[in-house]
Amino acid sequence: MKILHTADLHLGKKLNKASRLDEQCAVIKELAELADVEDIDVILIAGDVFDASVPPAEAERVFYRSILTLAERGRAVIALAGNHDDERRLCAAKPLAEMQGIVLAGELDYTAIGGGETLSDPTPPPSLYALADAADYLQKQRIKYAGRYGGITVQKGDEKVNIALVPYPSEGRLSRWYEQDYTVSYPDRVKLALEKACEFFDDGYNILCTHLFLSKSETSEALGGLSALPVSVLPQTADYVALGHVHKHLRISKTPLAEYSGSPVQYAYDESRTKSVNIIDTEKRTVTQVVLKSGKKLTETNADNFDECMARLDAYSSDYVRIKYSGDPLGKEETIKIKSHPAFNDFVVTAAVRTDKTVERRAHLSDGEIFDLFYKSRNGDRLPSVELKAAFVELMEELKSAQ
């Protein structure tokens, strides 16, 4: 079987005041086309489907249309609740979704899906981009699936794959899944939840799909309410762990093999400009990174006068541009012209910050660079981990979006 792993769609997210829905639609269309080309059987969305627990109506419409498109030709589509998602709202359409081979995952008990041990045939929906030819569909093997406690088993012909599904394990969700022993640390309780979800694994190919902030450190850290967990919480019984939460592609563990696919769209200026998805081939036991082409790039550039500002905007006319300005104050008409440029997104005026040793400009630095300086000042010149820095950048983007 071939499985496509993506995450962190963040439908409804804005960049300052700029809507990203058109780009998100384009990326989802690219994923559907890639699924056709690569003959994908299962699509995993590892959390943060939406950017907010109560997303705008248009973002919900995009989601429902998108998963129907991704489920064409009998593919199974699984969308997991992340820390940005309200699992009840995400799963409100479960009865309709399951009729189309779509699993909306917001809990640990999936035994009601597919009639328990009975594998069921999803019915193909009509395409939202081009009507699928019935004969072409019938030539493809349908994906059957059955619910388990902890996840689902999908089957194609004689091959089956077990997929454990664990939404972002907040304290509230953990307490709803089963009775908690609060004398045990949070990392150990998350580890237990993951182990429980994977109990149905067998000698087939086993995947854990979850939404976590992991660190290679064995000590738990916290940042903005997000707990960084050590990779030791991951069960060794998984052949592959499909992760969501970090927006860059990242292999966080080799044993078990655990990777963040990263977000399919660049959402922060500090994020990698290259976006991709993972394709898992269960027969060959390989994981391949496939680079995506859709979505605008986010570009930061420096300027110290009006003409330079306009030249930078023209040079990156197809991007969202943040100008870091260090020149003399601009006039009102100049400011209006800059902000009216189609590529303009943000404008940051640098300021001199005097320290005991020197005069240092910091306002032009990115959130990630500022965090590097802060962390080094408190930790003997050591840099923060990639995971911790990524979480800080994501948190800052959330705070800016909420303003």
Side-chain angles (χ1 to χ4, degrees), residues 40 93 108 148 169 242 292 351 365:
I40 297 297
L108 279 190
R148 315 290 188 204
L292 300 173
L365 298 177

Side-chain angles (χ1 to χ4, degrees), residues 47-226:
D48 282 357
V49 172
F50 297 109
D51 191 53
S53 58
V54 183
E58 185 57 32
E60 290 187 304
R61 282 194 290 270
V62 167
F63 172 61
Y64 292 126
R65 288 178 178 272
S66 298
I67 57 174
L68 283 173
T69 299
L70 294 174
E72 285 177 357
R73 297 177 173 85
R75 281 189 290 266
V77 177
I78 301 169
L80 186 81
N83 62 297
H84 281 248
D85 301 309
D86 181 327
E87 69 273 22
R88 296 180 179 90
R89 192 177 187 96
L90 176 68
C91 298
K94 277 181 66 175
L96 294 175
E98 287 165 14
M99 292 174 64
Q100 307 295 342
I102 298 163
V103 176
L104 302 177
E107 65 277 303
L108 279 190
D109 189 353
Y110 302 93
T111 53
I113 295 177
E117 293 298 321
T118 305
L119 292 164
S120 58
D121 287 316
T123 56
S127 171
L128 293 168
Y129 295 107
L131 187 63
D133 182 79
D136 176 63
Y137 172 78
L138 292 173
Q139 287 174 0
K140 294 180 180 290
Q141 288 182 288
R142 296 186 183 187
I143 302 300
K144 299 179 179 182
Y145 61 91
R148 315 290 188 204
Y149 183 87
I152 66 170
T153 297
V154 294
Q155 184 169 333
K156 176 185 176 183
D158 295 329
E159 184 183 6
K160 68 176 183 179
V161 175
N162 300 310
I163 306 176
L165 301 169
V166 183
Y168 179 76
S170 65
E171 287 282 12
R173 288 176 183 171
L174 285 172
S175 65
R176 287 195 293 272
W177 294 341
Y178 54 86
E179 186 174 351
Q180 298 291 299
D181 180 359
Y182 290 103
T183 64
V184 177
S185 69
Y186 174 70
D188 285 340
R189 285 185 289 120
V190 170
K191 182 176 182 178
L192 178 60
L194 298 178
E195 290 173 350
K196 283 179 175 287
C198 296
E199 285 178 353
F200 72 100
F201 283 178
D202 55 25
D203 57 359
Y205 196 90
N206 301 305
I207 295 175
L208 168 61
C209 179
T210 188
H211 193 90
L212 296 172
F213 172 32
L214 292 176
S215 169
K216 293 182 180 179
S217 168
E218 285 301 310
T219 58
S220 178
E221 303 171 355
L223 181 67
L226 302 177

Side-chain angles (χ1 to χ4, degrees), residues 122-387:
T123 56
S127 171
L128 293 168
Y129 295 107
L131 187 63
D133 182 79
D136 176 63
Y137 172 78
L138 292 173
Q139 287 174 0
K140 294 180 180 290
Q141 288 182 288
R142 296 186 183 187
I143 302 300
K144 299 179 179 182
Y145 61 91
R148 315 290 188 204
Y149 183 87
I152 66 170
T153 297
V154 294
Q155 184 169 333
K156 176 185 176 183
D158 295 329
E159 184 183 6
K160 68 176 183 179
V161 175
N162 300 310
I163 306 176
L165 301 169
V166 183
Y168 179 76
S170 65
E171 287 282 12
R173 288 176 183 171
L174 285 172
S175 65
R176 287 195 293 272
W177 294 341
Y178 54 86
E179 186 174 351
Q180 298 291 299
D181 180 359
Y182 290 103
T183 64
V184 177
S185 69
Y186 174 70
D188 285 340
R189 285 185 289 120
V190 170
K191 182 176 182 178
L192 178 60
L194 298 178
E195 290 173 350
K196 283 179 175 287
C198 296
E199 285 178 353
F200 72 100
F201 283 178
D202 55 25
D203 57 359
Y205 196 90
N206 301 305
I207 295 175
L208 168 61
C209 179
T210 188
H211 193 90
L212 296 172
F213 172 32
L214 292 176
S215 169
K216 293 182 180 179
S217 168
E218 285 301 310
T219 58
S220 178
E221 303 171 355
L223 181 67
L226 302 177
S227 294
L229 301 168
V231 294
S232 58
V233 303
L234 298 177
Q236 296 296 314
T237 52
D239 294 297
Y240 178 76
V241 183
L243 292 166
H245 191 64
V246 174
H247 285 197
K248 65 174 290 183
H249 178 268
L250 178 66
R251 177 170 291 184
I252 192 72
S253 169
K254 291 183 179 179
T255 308
L257 179 58
E259 295 195 5
Y260 289 99
S261 65
S263 61
V265 175
Q266 186 184 359
Y267 288 121
Y269 286 95
D270 281 355
E271 286 182 19
S272 168
R273 292 166 64 89
T274 300
K275 295 298 178 177
S276 61
V277 296
N278 281 358
I279 294 180
I280 303 101
D281 188 317
T282 62
E283 182 179 4
K284 297 178 180 178
R285 292 184 172 263
T286 58
V287 178
T288 305
Q289 184 183 1
V290 179
V291 175
L292 300 173
K293 299 177 182 178
S294 302
K296 286 188 175 183
K297 305 301 182 186
L298 277 58
T299 299
E300 285 186 319
T301 185
N302 297 304
D304 58 17
N305 59 64
F306 170 74
D307 290 336
E308 202 168 55
C309 288
M310 298 304 294
R312 295 288 188 272
L313 290 168
D314 288 338
Y316 301 108
S317 59
S318 61
D319 299 353
Y320 288 111
V321 179
R322 171 189 281 171
I323 296 176
K324 297 182 288 186
Y325 185 76
S326 58
D328 294 331
L330 296 167
K332 182 178 179 180
E333 289 187 4
E334 291 175 325
T335 302
I336 291 173
K337 286 182 180 179
I338 291 170
K339 292 186 175 182
S340 298
H341 195 286
F344 174 81
N345 179 258
D346 196 13
F347 192 86
V348 178
V349 178
T350 63
V353 178
R354 182 173 297 277
T355 67
D356 293 338
K357 297 180 180 179
T358 185
V359 174
E360 182 180 5
R361 290 191 181 276
R362 291 186 181 175
H364 70 286
L365 298 177
S366 67
D367 292 333
E369 291 167 332
I370 291 173
F371 186 64
D372 282 342
L373 291 174
F374 171 79
Y375 193 91
K376 287 168 66 177
S377 70
R378 296 293 190 275
N379 294 276
D381 224 31
R382 288 189 298 112
L383 286 170
S385 67
V386 172
E387 301 83 17

